[in-house]
Amino acid sequence: MDFQGETAVVCGGGGFIGGHMVKALLAGGAKSVRAVDIKPLHEWYQVSPGVENLVLDLKSLTNCEAAARGMSLVFQLAADMGGMGFIENNKALCMLSVLTNTHMLMAARQSGVKRFFYSSSACVYNGDKLTSADVVALKESDAYPALPEDGYGWEKLFSERMCRHFEEDFGLVCRVARYHNVYGPHGTWDGGREKAPAAMCRKVIQAKLSGKQEIEIWGDGNQTRSFMYIDDCIRGTLAISQSEIDEPINLGSNELVTINGLVDIVEDIGGIKLKRNYNLNAPKGVNGRNSDNTLILDRLGWEPSIRLREGMEKTYHWIEQEMLAGAKGT
């Protein structure tokens, strides 16, 4: 992707996807890149040289104005979120991300930003379509009539509409991608905010290191999901941000797998078989969810390039190195 001459701010630049996005913009030739995150700099997952790094709480309009000032592009990835264990138990915190989105849109408009990218989520989809593990892949139109994930999903769906109306009413060009379970190196793998791929890697590695040949799985393991590797996510995000696609669009893998199947993959990578203990009282999310990529393939020629087994192997070995080095993973 060519970003020659552009000035770009990555909101959430100290996070998992944001850290990778900063690197991609630098590689794309951006004139300048600003990364903004609420976390202290020493807690950022990646810090790239040649970047203006700001520690700001973007729920504040004043801070959003500082983040957007002088920028031609905004990548709004900042959110208070995590895996299913976090979003099911912190609905109010997830909803408060609407302040960040609202204020960044206001600041972008005020600063004359050319394009605004917003990272939405597959959690916006109607829950009535997610009751079976044999789920039909979700088309973009399946978000309505609205019945999204409580808390986190409602906030994402509302913010999608704000992007739409800021474009309609104020001419701020907005692009929205609905992410489907992004995973890979340099992400959260412990502490309660991690998602299933990283959690499974950590649990298998812990079992190997401790000699305790058991693993806890949330739910019955028959839930189905698709997982998108970070490199595919970044490539798709940049393409969507530069596209002429006005409506929210899926960005995810359509390689469906059960949670039990995900554990099979991680066990195979780790060279171990574990006793599985199923915690039926733990948060497990919807029974099934998958991405219909018809639209993005047709409009942008994008499809995932990294199969789940390959991506999980890269993720597993990175987390293993982190654990052996004594990192916290939060």
Side-chain angles (χ1 to χ4, degrees):
M1 296 289 177
D2 183 8
F3 288 90
Q4 295 289 333
E6 301 287 7
T7 55
V9 57
V10 179
C11 306
F16 167 43
I17 300 174
H20 287 275
M21 182 63 64
V22 167
K23 286 188 169 182
L25 289 167
L26 291 171
K31 179 182 177 181
S32 67
V33 178
R34 178 181 294 156
V36 184
D37 206 285
I38 193 172
K39 297 184 291 292
L41 194 61
H42 69 272
E43 293 182 8
W44 289 25
Y45 292 112
Q46 298 184 74
V47 178
S48 297
V51 173
E52 180 188 6
N53 297 311
L54 302 179
V55 177
L56 297 172
D57 182 352
L58 293 177
K59 291 190 293 294
S60 156
L61 176 58
T62 300
N63 289 342
C64 288
E65 291 169 343
R69 192 171 297 122
M71 298 291 104
S72 61
L73 306 175
V74 170
F75 290 86
Q76 169 34 17
L77 311 176
D80 204 346
M81 56 84 68
M84 191 52 58
F86 178 82
I87 66 175
E88 282 200 6
N89 294 307
N90 295 277
K91 294 182 177 68
L93 285 179
C94 291
M95 290 292 287
L96 283 172
S97 291
V98 76
L99 294 174
T100 300
N101 301 325
T102 304
H103 289 150
M104 277 309 305
L105 282 164
M106 293 170 65
R109 179 195 174 206
Q110 176 183 308
S111 297
V113 164
K114 290 196 307 185
R115 286 190 172 233
F116 186 102
F117 173 85
Y118 175 59
S119 59
S120 187
S121 166
C123 288
V124 302
Y125 282 110
N126 187 315
D128 285 346
K129 296 180 180 291
L130 311 174
T131 57
S132 171
D134 299 320
V135 68
V136 175
L138 294 158
K139 302 185 297 293
E140 283 77 3
S141 58
D142 289 332
Y144 294 92
L147 187 63
E149 183 88 37
D150 200 11
Y152 180 70
W154 274 110
E155 185 277 320
K156 288 293 187 185
L157 193 62
F158 176 79
S159 294
E160 285 187 4
R161 303 297 288 193
M162 275 206 302
C163 288
R164 172 178 172 173
H165 298 313
F166 264 72
E167 177 159 352
E168 291 171 342
D169 294 357
F170 305 130
L172 175 61
V173 177
C174 293
R175 298 294 177 257
V176 177
R178 290 174 179 161
Y179 288 169
H180 289 248
N181 295 314
V182 186
Y183 74 100
H186 299 286
T188 303
W189 49 264
D190 200 4
R193 290 181 184 253
E194 68 278 13
K195 296 188 176 182
M200 294 307 174
C201 289
R202 185 199 76 242
K203 289 178 180 182
V204 169
I205 295 165
Q206 282 177 334
K208 286 186 66 176
L209 294 177
S210 68
K212 185 178 180 181
Q213 306 291 295
E214 297 182 0
I215 185 171
E216 182 183 79
I217 298 172
W218 289 4
D220 60 12
N222 294 318
Q223 317 94 283
T224 51
R225 296 289 188 277
S226 63
F227 299 98
M228 173 175 53
Y229 191 67
I230 183 63
D231 291 1
D232 285 327
C233 173
I234 296 299
R235 182 169 56 89
T237 295
L238 295 177
I240 292 168
S241 74
Q242 293 186 314
S243 76
E244 297 310 309
I245 301 172
D246 280 326
E247 296 299 319
I249 188 168
N250 281 335
L251 185 59
S253 170
N254 53 7
E255 183 183 350
L256 194 66
V257 65
T258 65
I259 296 301
N260 278 326
L262 183 65
V263 177
D264 290 339
I265 291 171
V266 181
E267 285 181 337
D268 184 58
I269 294 169
I272 192 171
K273 291 297 291 183
L274 302 172
K275 178 187 174 185
R276 300 182 184 186
N277 301 318
Y278 294 95
N279 184 349
L280 302 182
N281 295 317
K284 71 180 187 69
V286 297
N287 287 325
R289 185 163 53 217
N290 195 14
S291 178
D292 184 321
N293 290 341
T294 303
L295 184 57
I296 194 170
L297 181 60
D298 177 62
R299 296 290 300 274
L300 297 177
W302 181 95
E303 57 185 341
S305 64
I306 299 173
R307 300 284 295 178
L308 182 59
R309 177 61 167 74
E310 178 188 356
M312 287 301 295
E313 188 159 7
K314 295 173 185 285
T315 306
Y316 179 96
H317 292 308
W318 178 80
I319 292 175
E320 184 177 45
Q321 291 174 353
E322 291 285 291
M323 292 179 69
L324 291 173
K328 292 182 179 179
T330 53

